[in-house]
Amino acid sequence: QVQLVESGGGLVQAGGSLRLSCSAPGPTMSSRTMGWFRQTPGKEREFVAAVTWNSDDISYADSVKGRFTISRDNAKNEVYLQMNSLRPEDTAVYYCAVAKFWINTYRTTEQYDYWGQGTQVTVSS
């Protein structure tokens, strides 16, 4: 079982920034696509961003494009989500995940094997 640990969530005012981090034991993480998802009560978990194992392909949900940046450091077995210009609608529990494969940036939860416990992000208006 792969243990993922997210950190960096918190309370921030609209327009502010947060940086989420996710650590996972290698080599599983370093050889696969990594993703960030988010979920609010009563809603499905939704895709936010993903990056392939060598960072040659990155994709974002339309709702965060231009505001969020995903990156990874395979040497440290970490993946990051820099969130700028935060909006109240970004409030959610954010999860990092390890995909089943490494080729593409995957956007559905079924394409991911392992999940972290989640970190709460709250954006006040």
Side-chain angles (χ1 to χ4, degrees), residues 30 32 51-57 72 74 102:
S30 62
R32 298 197 197 179
V51 56
T52 51
W53 74 277
N54 59 357
S55 302
D56 68 346
D57 191 15
R72 65 190 297 164
N74 288 342
W102 62 92

Side-chain angles (χ1 to χ4, degrees), residues 7-51:
S7 61
L11 173 64
V12 64
Q13 287 190 329
S17 298
L18 283 174
R19 188 189 192 217
L20 305 183
S21 298
C22 173
S23 62
T28 299
M29 174 192 163
S30 62
S31 61
R32 298 197 197 179
T33 291
M34 296 292 296
W36 285 95
F37 288 73
R38 65 187 182 187
Q39 190 171 23
T40 54
K43 292 191 175 181
E44 299 275 323
R45 193 167 294 188
E46 67 172 1
F47 171 77
V48 175
V51 56

Side-chain angles (χ1 to χ4, degrees), residues 14-124:
S17 298
L18 283 174
R19 188 189 192 217
L20 305 183
S21 298
C22 173
S23 62
T28 299
M29 174 192 163
S30 62
S31 61
R32 298 197 197 179
T33 291
M34 296 292 296
W36 285 95
F37 288 73
R38 65 187 182 187
Q39 190 171 23
T40 54
K43 292 191 175 181
E44 299 275 323
R45 193 167 294 188
E46 67 172 1
F47 171 77
V48 175
V51 56
T52 51
W53 74 277
N54 59 357
S55 302
D56 68 346
D57 191 15
I58 292 175
S59 64
Y60 297 96
D62 288 344
S63 59
V64 307
K65 201 173 294 184
R67 301 187 298 122
F68 290 11
T69 302
I70 188 171
S71 61
R72 65 190 297 164
D73 185 337
N74 288 342
K76 296 182 178 179
N77 294 322
E78 293 184 344
V79 63
Y80 312 101
L81 187 68
Q82 178 66 42
M83 305 186 295
N84 299 329
S85 302
L86 282 162
R87 304 167 180 168
E89 53 264 39
D90 294 319
T91 296
V93 177
Y94 283 71
Y95 299 88
C96 70
V98 181
K100 297 178 180 180
F101 307 107
W102 62 92
I103 296 175
N104 296 317
T105 51
Y106 307 105
R107 292 172 168 252
T108 67
T109 57
E110 292 77 14
Q111 293 169 311
Y112 288 78
D113 260 341
Y114 304 108
W115 296 84
Q117 82 289 349
T119 185
Q120 177 71 47
V121 170
T122 303
V123 184
S124 63

